Amino acid sequence: MILHKTQEVFGYISRSSAEQLSHLTGIPLARIYGVVTFYHFFKTTKPGKHKVSVCLGTACYLKGAQDLIDSCRKLLGIEPNGVTADGLFSVDPVRCVGCCGLAPLITVGTDTYGKLTKDMIPGIIAKYQNA
Ligand code: FES
């Protein structure tokens, strides 16, 4: 729960946060990192201001989600799980987000965009470039 809260507040688990948690709880740092690196949910790098999540669940994947993540990667010039140099965007693949009827879809922060084609990605990203 402490790790969940830390990630909720900071967006990721930094080395400094892990060290402080270890100090405060008495749990060895290696054990904390063991948990953080085992669960895909936890991030060890700071996400972009706008977190783009591309669903690669089965329904989305079958309807072309790979094209969406490729388009995001090409447009922003980053790899999945990467962050743009200006820190504005990060792109992460995620598992089913529970909106399969909208497949394929991405989320940007709390906004959801469904029934997408790769040609729609630039317009969506543009909405956040000055936000
Ligand atoms: S597979 Fe993408 S929302 Fe379910």
Side-chain angles (χ1 to χ4, degrees):
M1 293 308 297
I2 294 171
L3 292 171
H4 278 263
K5 189 65 180 177
T6 301
Q7 183 157 295
E8 180 185 317
V9 170
F10 298 106
Y12 72 117
I13 310 292
S14 69
R15 171 91 185 180
S16 170
S17 293
E19 288 172 352
Q20 288 179 26
L21 290 174
S22 175
H23 178 73
L24 292 171
T25 63
I27 297 171
L29 183 61
R31 188 162 174 217
I32 290 174
Y33 263 99
V35 172
V36 168
T37 56
F38 180 80
Y39 292 104
H40 199 309
F41 170 80
F42 292 115
K43 306 294 179 198
T44 56
T45 56
K46 187 175 182 177
K49 178 181 177 186
H50 303 293
K51 293 173 61 176
V52 179
S53 299
V54 181
C55 180
L56 291 182
T58 303
C60 288
Y61 188 81
L62 291 175
K63 290 192 170 187
Q66 188 63 50
D67 285 344
L68 301 183
I69 202 163
D70 290 345
S71 181
C72 288
R73 182 172 55 185
K74 185 176 177 185
L75 180 68
L76 296 170
I78 55 175
E79 296 295 316
N81 301 315
V83 181
T84 55
D86 60 7
L88 266 185
F89 294 96
S90 56
V91 177
D92 295 301
V94 295
R95 294 295 169 201
C96 180
V97 296
C99 304
C100 303
L102 295 176
L105 66 86
I106 70 170
T107 61
V108 183
T110 57
D111 300 328
T112 301
Y113 299 91
K115 297 189 181 290
L116 297 177
T117 64
K118 66 181 179 181
D119 299 334
M120 300 161 86
I121 295 296
I124 293 169
I125 296 297
K127 290 181 185 180
Y128 298 90
Q129 286 188 314
N130 295 318

